[in-house]
Amino acid sequence: MKTNYNEEHEMSSNKNDDRETPQIMLSATRGGHSPLVVNRKRKSITLTNKKEVLTISTNSVTWITGDIPYTSCQYRRPKTAFEVSNADIFTIAKRIFDCNTKRSIQSVYDGAVTKCKTTSYMKYTIRLLRLSKSSTDTILVDVRRRTGCSMAFRDEYQAIFSAAVYGEIPKRQVPRSMTISLADEKCMKGNYIPLEEGSIERSLKASMIHLTSKMYDTRVLTLQDLLSTTNPSSIDTSPVTSKLIVTEYHKIFEYIVGDVVKQVEYGDDINNNDDSEEYLRSLTLAILGNILSSVLDDKALLSLLHETYCTASMIQSLIWYVSKAQTCPWNSCLAAKCLRLLASTSSEMKSQIGIEEYAVLKNAEEIGKCSYKLLESEANAALIVTAYGNQHN
C-alpha cells in the first residue's frame, strides 16, 4: 500500500498540542482510498474562524471526513437518514469506519461521502451532513442503497445506525443464501422433505450446458446455483455435489479453474461501477474454495489438479488475485482461502509459495488489518499454513 506524508494540520490553540506530528496517508488519491490517516497526536476539537479543526488521538487508520457540508434547500431527506447528536464528527466517522472494517465492507472514502460494497455486491452510500449553522452538534447520517438486495441493505443500515448512535457494532450474520439446513431447525424436529433421487446429477448436467452459454446472466445464475449447492453450510448437498464435480462432472471443475486462471484485469480505479467481471471471479473463486473444503483429501481432486492444470500456474493466479487486495478485497480474501487449502494438500503445493508469494500475502494481511477483517483473517491463515508463515510467525 502506497504511503506518503501529508501536510501538517492546522494547530490547536492549546499550547500542549503545538508539537508537529507526521501523518501517514494511505492512497489519498481520488482513484483509491481517500484520507485514511494514522496520527499519534492527542485529539482536540477547536474552532478557527467558525471552522472545525480535527486532529486524531489514536494510532489506528480511520476516516477523515474534512469539511461536513450543510443540507441545501433542494435536499430531500430519505427514510434511511438519521441524526446523531451525542457524539462529535470524529467519533461518528470513527464508529462508521470501524463498523465497515469489522463487517468487511469494501469502502471508498471521499471526503464526507463513503461508497460501500458488501461481499454479495450490494452497494450503498453513506453521507455525513450538517442540518444547520445554528445546530453544529447534530450530524445527519444519510444512508442510501444504490443496487442489490433490499434485505441485505436493511442489515447494513441497522449496523451503521447502531455503530453511529450507540458505538455498538453488530456481529455480521451469515448471508441468507448460506444458512444451515432446514433439518437442523428446532421446529422441524429433524424431519424434512429429502431431495429427489438423481436431482443433484440432473442439476450438474444442466450446469455443464449453461456454463458454455454466451449470455452473461445465464452463467451468473448457474454459478450462483453451484455456489449454493457446494457451500459447506449446505450439509445436505455440499459433500455429494463437490464429490460428483471432481469425479463425474469434472468439466464444471475445469471451467471454474480455467476462469480463475484467466486473471481478468478490472483496472485500478476503485470507483469503477462496472464490476461484472469481478463478480464472476468472486463466484468461481468461492466455488473453488467450497469444493476444496469439501473434498480436500479426495484422490480424484488431487489427480484432477495434477493432470489438468499446472499447479504452479494455479498458485500464481491465486497470488495475483491476492495482490489486488486494495481494489478487490473480497476476491483477494477468497483467493487467500484457496491458497491455504491447496497448500495443505501436499508439500509440492506448499513449495510453490516462496518469499515473493509470502510478501504478497503479508501485504494483503496488512490491508485487511486496516479496512477488511475477513481479508486479514484469511491471509493470516494462509501464512500460517505455508512454510514461510511458520518460519516468520
Side-chain angles (χ1 to χ4, degrees), residues 202-321:
R202 287 194 297 273
S203 176
L204 292 177
K205 286 180 181 178
S207 294
M208 285 197 301
I209 296 172
H210 294 149
L211 287 176
T212 61
S213 173
K214 294 182 180 180
M215 299 293 292
Y216 174 84
D217 289 345
T218 301
R219 299 197 305 274
V220 166
L221 290 172
T222 303
L223 291 171
Q224 288 175 339
D225 181 64
L226 288 170
L227 179 61
S228 177
T229 55
T230 59
N231 194 285
S233 62
S234 302
I235 58 177
D236 304 322
T237 61
S238 177
V240 177
T241 304
S242 299
K243 177 74 173 178
L244 287 170
I245 287 175
V246 298
T247 53
E248 299 180 31
Y249 301 93
H250 51 82
K251 286 188 177 180
I252 294 176
F253 188 78
E254 292 174 9
Y255 172 89
I256 292 166
V257 176
D259 190 69
V260 170
V261 174
K262 285 180 182 177
Q263 299 183 18
V264 177
E265 285 281 1
Y266 316 126
D268 294 328
D269 186 2
I270 201 169
N271 291 295
N272 185 8
N273 290 321
D274 182 11
D275 50 17
S276 55
E277 287 297 326
E278 178 188 340
Y279 181 56
L280 273 180
R281 300 299 93 69
S282 75
L283 292 174
T284 51
L285 284 166
I287 295 169
L288 178 61
N290 289 347
I291 295 173
L292 293 174
S293 298
S294 298
V295 291
L296 189 61
D297 299 326
D298 194 289
K299 292 182 179 179
L301 171 65
L302 298 178
S303 176
L304 193 60
L305 287 172
H306 287 287
E307 291 178 5
T308 311
Y309 296 98
C310 174
T311 55
S313 177
M314 277 193 64
I315 295 293
Q316 289 306 312
S317 294
L318 292 172
I319 286 292
W320 181 84
Y321 287 104

Side-chain angles (χ1 to χ4, degrees), residues 44-114:
S44 63
I45 300 180
T46 60
L47 290 176
T48 304
N49 296 327
K50 296 184 179 181
K51 178 181 178 182
E52 197 171 57
V53 178
L54 300 183
T55 55
I56 303 177
S57 58
T58 65
N59 289 332
S60 59
V61 179
T62 189
W63 174 19
I64 299 302
T65 60
D67 294 333
I68 306 299
Y70 292 97
T71 55
S72 66
C73 59
Q74 297 179 343
Y75 172 74
R76 293 186 178 182
R77 180 169 173 171
K79 292 181 179 179
T80 51
F82 57 90
E83 298 176 13
V84 183
S85 57
N86 62 347
D88 56 52
I89 299 172
F90 167 78
T91 302
I92 296 170
K94 182 71 166 60
R95 287 173 176 177
I96 294 174
F97 180 85
D98 289 344
C99 180
N100 288 342
T101 299
K102 291 181 180 179
R103 293 176 66 83
S104 296
I105 305 297
Q106 182 180 354
S107 305
V108 181
Y109 300 92
D110 187 5
V113 180
T114 305

Side-chain angles (χ1 to χ4, degrees), residues 125-169:
T125 58
I126 305 172
R127 179 181 299 176
L128 302 182
L129 297 164
R130 294 186 190 276
L131 290 176
S132 66
K133 294 182 179 180
S134 60
S135 179
T136 57
D137 295 334
T138 301
I139 299 298
L140 183 68
V141 182
D142 183 320
V143 187
R144 303 192 187 199
R145 181 176 68 94
R146 294 166 59 201
T147 60
C149 176
S150 297
M151 295 181 70
F153 173 71
R154 182 196 65 181
D155 292 343
E156 297 308 325
Y157 170 78
Q158 291 175 346
I160 295 164
F161 180 88
S162 178
V165 177
Y166 304 109
E168 300 174 357
I169 303 175

Side-chain angles (χ1 to χ4, degrees), residues 322 332-333 336-337 340 358 360-366 368-369 372-386 388-390 392-393:
V322 175
S332 179
C333 178
K337 175 184 176 180
R340 169 175 58 84
Y358 169 82
V360 172
L361 284 167
K362 193 64 179 176
N363 183 62
E365 182 187 29
E366 293 301 319
K369 285 180 181 179
Y372 210 89
K373 286 299 178 183
L374 280 177
L375 177 58
E376 177 192 3
S377 176
E378 285 296 348
N380 179 260
L383 287 168
I384 292 174
V385 169
T386 65
Y388 277 95
N390 291 329
H392 288 79
N393 286 286

